[in-house]
Amino acid sequence: MSELALETAQAIADATLRAGREKGFKPLSVVVYDARGAVKALLSEDGTSLKRAEIAMGKAYGALAVGLGSRALHKMAVDRPHFIAGVTHATGNLLVPVPGGVLIKDSQGNILGAVGVSGDTSDNDEIAATAGIEAAGLIFDTGA
């Protein structure tokens, strides 16, 4: 299985924040996990609110834990709330089922990790995350 190098994770995080600034988004927090769930990069822009990093972590970790982008988890939270409650418990409450948690994949479809973003609307958080992943030459999966 492919691994997500530290240099790549840092590039994704930097490109994610850059995309948010270019689009005029509110200050963002971004986290990048590798496939085993280890934090590879975590950045918060000046002006983010107190718990934005933790929200970003919940979006990405939840996506990684279930193997689906958090947009799909959001739909499940509406359609199958007991399942999401169970997964939230199983992940130690590290699941935020709203858009902004995006899987990172290689060209063969292998999951390399996940990016989580928080700070603006969930849709805008997702836009920034996908831009960061694309900038690193990798494939994103939002769960749409």
Side-chain angles (χ1 to χ4, degrees):
M1 180 157 97
S2 301
E3 291 188 25
L4 185 66
L6 176 61
E7 181 178 288
T8 303
Q10 289 172 324
I12 290 169
D14 289 338
T16 296
L17 295 182
R18 187 169 47 255
R21 284 191 303 273
E22 288 171 356
K23 294 178 184 308
F25 294 167
K26 293 176 184 173
L28 302 176
S29 289
V30 58
V31 64
V32 181
Y33 285 102
D34 67 13
R36 63 196 171 104
V39 174
K40 298 293 273 198
L42 175 60
L43 300 171
S44 290
E45 292 183 303
D46 296 341
T48 58
S49 58
L50 182 62
K51 292 293 183 176
R52 287 298 177 178
E54 288 86 344
I55 295 167
M57 293 172 81
K59 290 179 180 187
Y61 194 82
L64 195 57
V66 181
L68 296 169
S70 65
R71 185 166 289 277
L73 298 179
H74 181 264
K75 182 171 178 5
M76 285 180 176
V78 173
D79 296 341
R80 299 168 52 202
H82 295 292
F83 174 75
I84 291 298
V87 174
T88 300
H89 176 74
T91 61
N93 293 323
L94 289 175
L95 180 126
V96 177
V98 296
V102 181
L103 295 175
I104 306 165
K105 295 185 174 183
D106 65 16
S107 59
Q108 289 78 45
N110 298 309
I111 296 173
L112 303 179
V115 175
V117 178
S118 183
D120 205 284
T121 66
S122 294
D123 289 337
N124 285 346
D125 294 344
E126 182 180 89
I127 288 167
T130 60
I133 294 166
E134 279 188 324
L138 295 167
I139 298 165
F140 65 82
D141 181 355
T142 63

